[in-house]
Coordinates of all heavy atoms in Angstrom, one line a residue:
S261 N 93.8 100.8 101.0 CA 94.5 101.4 99.9 C 95.8 102.1 100.3 O 96.7 102.0 99.6 CB 93.5 102.5 99.4 OG 94.1 103.4 98.4
L262 N 95.9 102.7 101.5 CA 97.1 103.2 102.1 C 98.1 102.1 102.2 O 99.3 102.3 101.8 CB 96.8 103.8 103.4 CG 98.1 104.3 104.2 CD1 98.8 105.5 103.5 CD2 97.8 104.7 105.6
A263 N 97.8 100.9 102.7 CA 98.7 99.8 102.8 C 99.2 99.3 101.4 O 100.5 99.2 101.3 CB 98.0 98.6 103.4
L264 N 98.3 99.3 100.5 CA 98.8 98.9 99.1 C 99.7 100.0 98.6 O 100.7 99.6 97.9 CB 97.5 98.6 98.2 CG 96.6 97.3 98.5 CD1 95.4 97.4 97.7 CD2 97.5 96.1 98.3
Q265 N 99.3 101.2 98.6 CA 100.3 102.2 98.2 C 101.6 102.3 98.7 O 102.6 102.6 98.1 CB 99.5 103.6 98.3 CG 98.3 103.8 97.4 CD 97.7 105.2 97.7 OE1 98.3 106.2 97.4 NE2 96.6 105.2 98.3
A266 N 101.7 101.9 100.0 CA 102.9 101.9 100.7 C 103.7 100.6 100.5 O 104.8 100.4 101.0 CB 102.6 102.1 102.2
G267 N 103.0 99.6 99.8 CA 103.7 98.4 99.6 C 103.7 97.4 100.7 O 104.6 96.6 101.0
T268 N 102.6 97.5 101.5 CA 102.6 96.6 102.7 C 101.2 96.1 102.9 O 100.3 96.2 102.0 CB 103.1 97.3 103.9 OG1 103.3 96.4 105.0 CG2 102.2 98.4 104.4
T269 N 100.8 95.7 104.1 CA 99.5 95.2 104.3 C 98.8 95.9 105.5 O 99.5 96.6 106.3 CB 99.5 93.7 104.7 OG1 100.2 93.6 105.9 CG2 100.1 92.9 103.7
R270 N 97.6 95.8 105.6 CA 96.8 96.4 106.8 C 97.4 95.8 108.1 O 97.5 96.5 109.2 CB 95.3 96.3 106.7 CG 94.6 97.4 105.8 CD 93.1 97.4 105.9 NE 92.7 96.0 106.0 CZ 91.5 95.6 106.6 NH1 90.8 96.6 107.2 NH2 91.1 94.4 106.6
G271 N 97.6 94.4 108.0 CA 98.2 93.9 109.2 C 99.5 94.4 109.7 O 99.6 94.5 110.8
T272 N 100.3 94.7 108.8 CA 101.6 95.4 109.1 C 101.4 96.7 109.7 O 102.0 97.1 110.8 CB 102.6 95.4 107.9 OG1 102.9 94.1 107.5 CG2 103.8 96.1 108.3
L273 N 100.5 97.5 109.2 CA 100.2 98.8 109.7 C 99.6 98.7 111.1 O 100.0 99.5 112.0 CB 99.3 99.6 108.8 CG 99.9 100.0 107.4 CD1 99.0 100.7 106.6 CD2 101.3 100.6 107.5
N274 N 98.7 97.7 111.3 CA 98.1 97.5 112.6 C 99.3 97.0 113.6 O 99.3 97.6 114.8 CB 97.1 96.4 112.6 CG 95.9 96.9 112.0 OD1 95.5 98.1 112.1 ND2 95.1 96.0 111.4
Q275 N 100.2 96.3 113.2 CA 101.4 95.9 114.1 C 102.2 97.1 114.4 O 102.7 97.2 115.6 CB 102.3 94.9 113.4 CG 101.6 93.5 113.3 CD 102.5 92.5 112.5 OE1 103.5 92.8 111.9 NE2 102.2 91.2 112.6
I276 N 102.3 98.1 113.5 CA 103.0 99.3 113.8 C 102.4 100.1 114.9 O 103.0 100.5 115.9 CB 103.3 100.1 112.5 CG1 104.2 99.3 111.5 CG2 103.8 101.5 112.9 CD1 104.2 99.9 110.2
I277 N 101.1 100.3 114.7 CA 100.4 101.2 115.7 C 100.0 100.5 117.0 O 99.8 101.1 117.9 CB 99.1 101.8 115.0 CG1 98.1 100.8 114.7 CG2 99.5 102.7 113.9 CD1 96.8 101.4 114.2
Y278 N 99.9 99.2 117.0 CA 99.5 98.5 118.2 C 100.5 97.6 118.9 O 100.6 97.5 120.0 CB 98.2 97.5 118.0 CG 96.9 98.3 117.7 CD1 96.3 98.1 116.6 CD2 96.4 99.1 118.5 CE1 95.1 98.7 116.2 CE2 95.3 99.9 118.3 CZ 94.6 99.6 117.1 OH 93.5 100.3 116.8
G279 N 101.3 97.1 118.0 CA 102.3 96.1 118.5 C 103.8 96.6 118.6 O 104.6 95.8 119.1
G280 N 104.0 97.9 118.4 CA 105.3 98.4 118.5 C 106.3 97.9 117.5 O 107.5 97.9 117.6
K281 N 105.8 97.5 116.2 CA 106.7 96.8 115.2 C 107.6 98.0 114.6 O 107.1 99.1 114.5 CB 105.8 96.3 114.1 CG 106.6 95.8 113.0 CD 105.7 95.2 111.9 CE 106.5 94.7 110.7 NZ 107.4 93.6 111.0
R282 N 108.8 97.7 114.6 CA 109.8 98.7 114.0 C 109.9 98.5 112.5 O 109.8 97.4 112.0 CB 111.2 98.6 114.6 CG 111.0 98.9 116.1 CD 112.3 99.4 116.8 NE 112.1 99.9 118.1 CZ 111.7 101.1 118.4 NH1 111.5 102.0 117.5 NH2 111.4 101.5 119.7
I283 N 110.1 99.6 111.8 CA 109.9 99.4 110.3 C 111.3 100.0 109.6 O 112.0 100.7 110.3 CB 108.7 100.1 109.7 CG1 108.7 101.7 110.1 CG2 107.5 99.5 110.2 CD1 107.6 102.4 109.4
E284 N 111.6 99.5 108.4 CA 112.7 99.9 107.6 C 112.4 101.3 107.0 O 111.3 101.7 106.9 CB 113.0 98.9 106.6 CG 113.3 97.6 107.1 CD 114.8 97.6 107.8 OE1 115.6 98.5 107.6 OE2 115.1 96.7 108.7
L285 N 113.5 101.8 106.5 CA 113.4 103.2 106.0 C 112.5 103.3 104.8 O 111.8 104.3 104.6 CB 114.8 103.7 105.7 CG 115.0 105.2 105.4 CD1 114.5 106.0 106.7 CD2 116.5 105.5 105.3
G286 N 112.4 102.3 103.9 CA 111.7 102.4 102.7 C 110.1 102.5 103.0 O 109.5 103.4 102.5
L287 N 109.7 101.6 103.9 CA 108.3 101.7 104.3 C 108.0 103.1 105.0 O 106.9 103.7 104.8 CB 107.9 100.6 105.3 CG 106.4 100.6 105.8 CD1 105.5 100.7 104.6 CD2 106.2 99.3 106.5
A288 N 108.9 103.5 105.9 CA 108.8 104.8 106.6 C 108.7 106.0 105.5 O 107.8 106.8 105.6 CB 109.9 105.0 107.6
D289 N 109.5 105.9 104.5 CA 109.5 106.9 103.5 C 108.2 106.9 102.8 O 107.5 108.0 102.5 CB 110.6 106.8 102.5 CG 111.9 107.2 103.0 OD1 112.0 108.1 103.9 OD2 112.9 106.7 102.4
C290 N 107.6 105.8 102.5 CA 106.3 105.7 101.8 C 105.2 106.3 102.7 O 104.4 107.0 102.3 CB 106.0 104.3 101.5 SG 106.9 103.6 100.2
L291 N 105.2 105.9 104.0 CA 104.2 106.4 104.9 C 104.2 107.9 105.0 O 103.2 108.6 105.0 CB 104.2 105.7 106.2 CG 103.9 104.2 106.3 CD1 104.2 103.6 107.6 CD2 102.5 104.1 105.8
V292 N 105.5 108.4 105.2 CA 105.6 110.0 105.2 C 105.1 110.7 104.0 O 104.4 111.6 104.1 CB 107.1 110.3 105.5 CG1 107.4 111.8 105.2 CG2 107.5 109.9 106.9
A293 N 105.4 110.0 102.8 CA 104.8 110.6 101.6 C 103.3 110.5 101.4 O 102.7 111.4 100.8 CB 105.5 109.9 100.4
L294 N 102.8 109.5 102.0 CA 101.3 109.4 101.9 C 100.4 109.9 103.0 O 99.3 110.1 102.8 CB 101.0 107.8 101.8 CG 101.6 107.0 100.6 CD1 101.6 105.5 100.8 CD2 100.8 107.4 99.3
C295 N 101.0 110.2 104.1 CA 100.3 110.8 105.2 C 100.7 112.2 105.5 O 101.7 112.4 106.1 CB 100.5 109.9 106.4 SG 100.0 108.2 106.2
P296 N 99.9 113.1 105.1 CA 100.3 114.5 105.4 C 100.6 114.8 106.9 O 99.9 114.4 107.8 CB 99.0 115.4 104.9 CG 98.3 114.4 103.9 CD 98.6 113.0 104.5
G297 N 101.7 115.5 107.0 CA 102.0 115.9 108.4 C 102.8 115.0 109.2 O 103.4 115.3 110.2
L298 N 103.1 113.8 108.6 CA 103.8 112.8 109.2 C 105.3 113.0 108.9 O 105.7 113.3 107.7 CB 103.4 111.3 108.7 CG 103.9 110.1 109.6 CD1 103.2 110.2 111.0 CD2 103.4 108.9 108.9
A299 N 106.2 112.7 109.8 CA 107.7 112.7 109.6 C 108.3 111.5 110.1 O 107.7 110.7 110.8 CB 108.2 114.0 110.4
L300 N 109.6 111.3 109.6 CA 110.2 110.1 109.9 C 110.4 110.0 111.4 O 110.4 108.8 112.0 CB 111.7 110.0 109.2 CG 111.7 109.8 107.7 CD1 113.1 109.9 107.2 CD2 111.2 108.4 107.5
E301 N 110.6 111.1 112.2 CA 110.7 111.1 113.6 C 109.5 110.5 114.2 O 109.5 110.1 115.4 CB 110.9 112.4 114.1 CG 112.2 113.2 113.6 CD 111.9 113.8 112.2 OE1 110.8 114.3 111.9 OE2 112.9 113.8 111.5

């Protein structure tokens, strides 16, 4: 659900947390909006 709301996939989110994938500002903004306490930094 988080992935869909952010306009991405669980695979991409897994790449971010495990594979060091860097992301564009649009996806980062979505994740910050959807995850309380998370910041762009």
Side-chain angles (χ1 to χ4, degrees):
S261 177
L262 174 66
L264 289 172
Q265 289 178 67
T268 192
T269 65
R270 278 190 318 153
T272 297
L273 296 181
N274 284 332
Q275 288 176 348
I276 294 166
I277 63 172
Y278 291 121
K281 179 176 179 65
R282 299 209 170 270
I283 59 176
E284 293 295 336
L285 195 55
L287 177 54
D289 282 337
C290 288
L291 293 175
V292 167
L294 294 167
C295 301
L298 195 66
L300 287 175
E301 300 81 35

